[in-house]
Amino acid sequence: MTQALIVEKCAAPVGAEIKGVDLSQDTAPDTFAKIEAAFNEHSVIVFRDQSISPDQQLAFSDKFGALEINAFNKYALPDHPGVLMVSNIRENGADIGFADAGSHWHSDMSYTAHPPRCTILFAVEVPTRDGAPSDDTLGDTLFASTATAYDALPGDMKTRLSGLKAVHRFAAKERGVKGPLKLTQAQIDKHPDVRHPVVRTHPETGRKCLYVREGECVSIDGMDDADAEALIKQLSDLCVEERFIYRHKWRVGDVLMWDNCAVQHIALRDYEWPQRRMMHRTTVGGAVPV
Ligand code: SIN
């Protein structure tokens, strides 16, 4: 179905709201082309007041590329292995979803050879300060523009970074807001270290983006560990300066998607069970970073 959409850019360097689209309907090719163009331009797009089933979310996600199954797929919806529950909700004393997903700055699955193009979250439940429905929501997600951060680097630093490759490690130390996640040996063995350029070129826009993150990257080829650690930290700190950030305050019914080359993100854990947060997450495969 063709839909007349409006794109409203946010004040931050990334982020735009798209109005006039009902994602429970199949989007016609011309409508989808506009959505994809807005996504490439703004890196984070949000559709408010949506009501979509897991199948509708999968169908929309699939238009952006092949769906991926997350390493933590034990938290997938029972009948939908492609939809991960990102949630702190507990049943019978255990988390029903991946409660700590995104609780440190990162770009999704940078520890894989083909990191995802985009990630899509549908907000099913959003925590509020007193637990009752209200606008005083918690659990915001912050997105930092890696392209704008790269643009802000001085010329000599851009030259220094050219050609460098960083090692991304699945089992890197900072995962999990309450300490390192317990990973099984099988999960670790399935994800050997990968090397990606510190500066990658966006496959759609051609913009250069910083693709390095403290806690995910453990070294840089050809550099001694202390120098590499200092450089990784310097670039990580730069990326998340206030001036590069869009902060999303969730509402139930939001469908938000982000570009894992053009932004890094963090989900704030400023709520605790029995405050409830439930996001349905789908992930779309991407290209080898170059
Ligand atoms: C994630 O990094 O996938 C989770 C983001 C969020 O829950 O806001």
Side-chain angles (χ1 to χ4, degrees):
M1 181 166 94
T2 299
Q3 302 182 62
L5 61 82
I6 299 166
V7 179
E8 283 182 3
K9 186 187 166 347
C10 306
V14 288
E17 182 176 342
I18 302 201
K19 295 183 168 167
V21 177
D22 176 356
L23 296 178
S24 70
Q25 307 294 313
D26 188 24
T27 45
D30 58 338
T31 305
F32 179 71
K34 287 180 194 152
I35 293 172
E36 191 172 35
F39 176 63
N40 288 332
E41 182 177 351
H42 302 292
S43 312
V44 179
I45 55 174
V46 59
F47 306 82
R48 300 278 196 184
D49 304 317
Q50 302 293 318
S51 175
I52 53 170
S53 66
D55 284 327
Q56 288 163 340
Q57 181 169 350
L58 286 165
F60 177 65
S61 307
D62 189 51
K63 290 179 185 289
F64 288 87
L67 292 164
E68 297 231 320
I69 305 290
N70 192 275
F72 300 96
N73 61 346
K74 70 172 182 173
Y75 296 125
L77 282 177
D79 299 330
H80 294 86
V83 182
L84 185 76
M85 288 186 282
V86 174
S87 180
N88 71 324
I89 295 173
R90 296 178 74 78
E91 280 176 8
N92 304 319
D95 293 332
I96 63 167
F98 186 6
D100 276 353
S103 52
H104 61 287
W105 280 106
H106 67 292
S107 172
D108 284 335
M109 296 161 70
S110 73
Y111 52 80
T112 56
H114 301 245
R117 175 185 186 191
C118 57
T119 309
I120 301 173
L121 288 188
F122 172 47
V124 179
E125 292 189 69
V126 177
T128 56
R129 198 166 301 277
D130 63 4
S134 90
D135 291 341
D136 194 6
T137 54
L138 301 170
D140 297 356
T141 308
L142 277 58
F143 299 91
S145 170
T146 56
T148 320
Y150 175 81
D151 291 346
L153 287 172
D156 56 347
M157 179 59 107
K158 288 180 177 159
T159 307
R160 182 178 173 209
L161 299 182
S162 171
L164 290 184
K165 286 199 169 191
V167 175
H168 295 241
R169 180 162 298 166
F170 178 62
K173 59 186 183 314
E174 280 187 7
R175 294 179 183 283
V177 72
K178 295 173 189 153
L181 283 181
K182 286 186 199 71
L183 301 172
T184 63
Q185 196 55 46
Q187 282 173 320
I188 293 172
D189 292 346
K190 212 168 149 191
H191 297 97
D193 288 353
V194 291
R195 290 171 162 71
H196 293 308
V198 167
V199 177
R200 61 180 285 202
T201 303
H202 193 283
E204 304 293 334
T205 65
R207 285 187 78 181
K208 291 198 169 157
C209 303
L210 286 174
Y211 197 64
V212 66
R213 168 55 37 201
E214 194 182 12
E216 301 281 329
C217 298
V218 291
S219 57
I220 295 179
D221 284 351
M223 221 180 247
D224 76 44
D225 283 352
D227 288 349
E229 203 177 302
L231 183 58
I232 291 167
K233 176 160 178 26
Q234 182 184 352
L235 298 173
S236 298
D237 289 349
L238 173 75
C239 280
V240 299
E241 284 183 15
E242 186 78 29
R243 60 190 166 137
F244 304 132
I245 290 178
Y246 165 66
R247 178 171 183 151
H248 187 69
K249 190 158 256 316
W250 292 94
R251 298 200 314 231
V252 171
D254 286 352
V255 172
L256 180 146
M257 59 187 290
W258 64 86
D259 180 321
N260 282 299
C261 174
V263 298
Q264 294 179 3
H265 64 283
I266 185 172
L268 298 186
R269 265 309 281 276
D270 53 358
Y271 58 93
E272 276 308 329
W273 176 253
Q275 291 162 314
R276 298 166 65 96
R277 189 174 192 268
M278 169 63 83
M279 302 280 163
H280 286 178
R281 171 179 147 153
T282 45
T283 310
V284 174
V288 174
V290 289

